[in-house]
Amino acid sequence: MSNATYEERLETIKEIVCDILEIEEDEVTEVSLFKEEHDADSLRAIEILAALEKQFKVVISQSELPRMVNLKGVYEVVAEPAGW
């Protein structure tokens, strides 16, 4: 995973997010908003955070949740502890 490309990492993140939010991958863009456009609640956001930590073997503070509004934000939140 360490030498994965941006696209590959984003795809993995997208799969996790879509699985938890129970939405189709083609419904989600890099900037579509989970809460406003996909009806995500804060519990789902925490589930996403936990799944990302497990997938990428990083620790993400719950204080980062407000940044995790879309795929772009989630990628940035994971990228920091992962050192991408």
Side-chain angles (χ1 to χ4, degrees), residues 1-12 56 75 84:
M1 194 73 205
S2 57
N3 61 358
T5 64
Y6 172 79
E7 284 79 17
E8 288 167 332
R9 291 176 186 143
L10 197 65
E11 188 57 37
T12 303
F56 296 108
Y75 185 91
W84 295 342

Side-chain angles (χ1 to χ4, degrees), residues 20 24 27 32 37 39-40 42 48 50 62 68 70 73-74 83:
I20 291 169
E24 296 301 318
E27 291 177 37
S32 62
E37 297 174 54
D39 296 323
S42 54
I48 291 168
Q62 288 200 2
M68 297 171 63
N70 54 27
V74 171

Side-chain angles (χ1 to χ4, degrees), residues 18-30:
C18 292
D19 189 46
I20 291 169
L21 298 184
E22 295 171 15
I23 50 180
E24 296 301 318
E25 287 190 34
D26 58 11
E27 291 177 37
V28 181
T29 68
E30 213 172 322

Side-chain angles (χ1 to χ4, degrees), residues 16 20 44-56 58 60 65 68:
I16 290 169
I20 291 169
R44 293 278 173 94
I46 291 168
E47 279 183 58
I48 291 168
L49 190 147
L52 293 167
E53 287 186 322
K54 194 173 164 193
Q55 173 70 37
F56 296 108
V58 294
I60 303 165
L65 284 170
M68 297 171 63

